[in-house]
Amino acid sequence: MSRHALALCADDYGLAPYVDEAIDRLAHSGRLAAASMLVQRARWPDAARRSHLWPVGVKRGLHFNLTHGFPLSRELRRHWDALPTLPALIALAHARALPLAAIGAELEVQFERFEDHVDAVPAFVDGHQHVHHLPGVRDLVLRFARERGLAVRNTGRVEGPNDPLKRRLIEFTGGRALQRGLRRLGIRHNDVLLGAYDFESPDYRARMQGWLKALGQEDTNARALLFCHPGDAANDGAGDEIAAARQREASYLESGAFSEDLAAAGVALGPAFEPAAGSSSAG
């Protein structure tokens, strides 16, 4: 019997030690297909070195960031001393008021900082809080990815039984336009995205069971990607609004319950941004 394949991607690697340590464990346990990396923190070189120890099949990608912390490039610092909030960025993007040349320079600098410390180009690019699909930004990202042969996280089909408002918000702030661009340009991408929720639910397992059920309704050849935000106890996590959710996610994803739920749903963990036929069974 054919099984559905699911690629698990952990976001925010490089944010803080309590995030990186949980992602490291998931990578070494065989649960992760990929991790998306923030490169702007001073601790980024150390985080990048730790990722060199991961199994070779875990893809490392650039988590392009325009909403957390400070710009790296001189060009963008001329416009913003600190990066804007997501609502502010969305408003500027849809008003066609973003400093796109400077954002293009910021993308280049973040890419170079990734490459300098990982000693390889990213396997893929996506956006912290999905900024890569916003008007103007997505054209920069699409061109950048096409020129360098990178895969891109598709946010145009966000599925699941819950949180319809958040899922449609992701799609309609730019995800569906991004999907059209990915298809037009022949850029590798996931067909369906899972994992969107409000971070408030105390039962992450129930959320996962819902996403796995939704995946079961897809064609078995669909390339499915589930993004997650695992982390340990946030002793140094002041200001991290999803610290408690990170702990819940890490606890479940490392547990035998996750393997049980995958098997019950007929889902196997597989690679990211590759045909589902290349999937492997869960660890």
Side-chain angles (χ1 to χ4, degrees):
M1 183 177 68
S2 61
R3 304 179 74 190
H4 289 82
L6 177 66
L8 190 67
C9 181
D11 286 358
D12 298 346
Y13 194 77
L15 177 68
Y18 65 89
V19 172
D20 297 353
E21 289 163 10
I23 294 175
D24 285 339
R25 292 195 306 274
L26 287 167
H28 288 294
S29 72
R31 298 283 167 106
L32 288 187
S36 196
M37 299 175 155
L38 292 165
V39 304
Q40 286 154 300
R41 292 293 181 96
R43 61 179 309 278
W44 162 244
D46 178 62
R49 283 191 295 270
R50 290 168 62 106
S51 77
H52 291 167
L53 302 175
W54 293 352
V56 68
V58 182
K59 291 183 171 64
R60 292 172 289 183
L62 176 63
H63 206 39
F64 183 41
N65 175 28
L66 293 173
T67 59
H68 187 93
F70 304 91
L72 289 178
S73 65
R74 291 192 303 271
E75 292 86 346
L76 195 54
R77 287 198 300 270
R78 294 190 186 107
H79 296 270
W80 297 331
D81 293 331
L83 294 172
T85 64
L86 180 61
L89 189 73
I90 291 173
L92 288 168
H94 285 271
R96 303 300 192 271
L98 289 174
L100 291 178
I103 289 173
E106 181 70 16
L107 178 58
E108 291 277 358
V109 171
Q110 290 189 31
F111 176 88
E112 290 168 3
R113 186 163 164 81
F114 181 106
E115 189 176 22
D116 286 346
H117 295 285
V118 175
D119 298 325
V121 299
F124 63 94
V125 61
D126 57 34
H128 184 54
Q129 298 184 308
H130 314 297
V131 300
H132 67 299
H133 72 206
L134 293 176
V137 180
R138 68 172 167 264
D139 296 325
L140 297 171
V141 169
L142 286 168
R143 181 166 63 248
F144 192 89
R146 187 184 188 193
E147 290 172 353
R148 290 161 178 79
L150 311 180
V152 174
R153 181 183 295 179
N154 173 25
T155 54
R157 275 199 62 212
V158 188
E159 297 297 341
N162 299 303
D163 304 288
L165 179 60
K166 183 164 187 175
R167 290 188 285 112
R168 298 305 168 241
L169 182 65
I170 292 170
E171 291 179 353
F172 286 103
T173 53
R176 292 194 175 182
L178 175 69
Q179 179 173 262
R180 291 192 294 270
L182 292 168
R183 290 172 173 172
R184 184 179 70 253
L185 297 173
I187 295 171
R188 286 177 298 119
H189 60 279
N190 52 294
D191 299 310
V192 61
L193 185 65
L194 305 164
Y197 73 113
D198 61 7
F199 299 111
E200 298 296 329
S201 172
D203 192 348
Y204 187 68
R205 184 179 188 179
R207 281 284 192 267
M208 182 63 72
Q209 290 170 338
W211 293 322
L212 295 176
K213 183 177 180 180
L215 177 56
Q217 298 169 5
E218 300 289 328
D219 187 284
T220 54
N221 292 320
R223 293 168 294 185
L225 183 76
L226 190 147
F227 67 105
C228 58
H229 301 80
D232 290 335
N235 295 327
D236 56 348
D240 186 351
E241 296 179 350
I242 66 168
R246 293 187 195 276
Q247 288 182 259
R248 290 192 292 267
E249 293 188 25
S251 177
Y252 169 76
L253 293 171
E254 293 182 273
S255 72
F258 182 36
S259 294
E260 292 170 7
D261 291 339
L262 289 168
V267 174
L269 293 179
F273 306 112
E274 294 179 16
S279 64
S280 62
S281 61

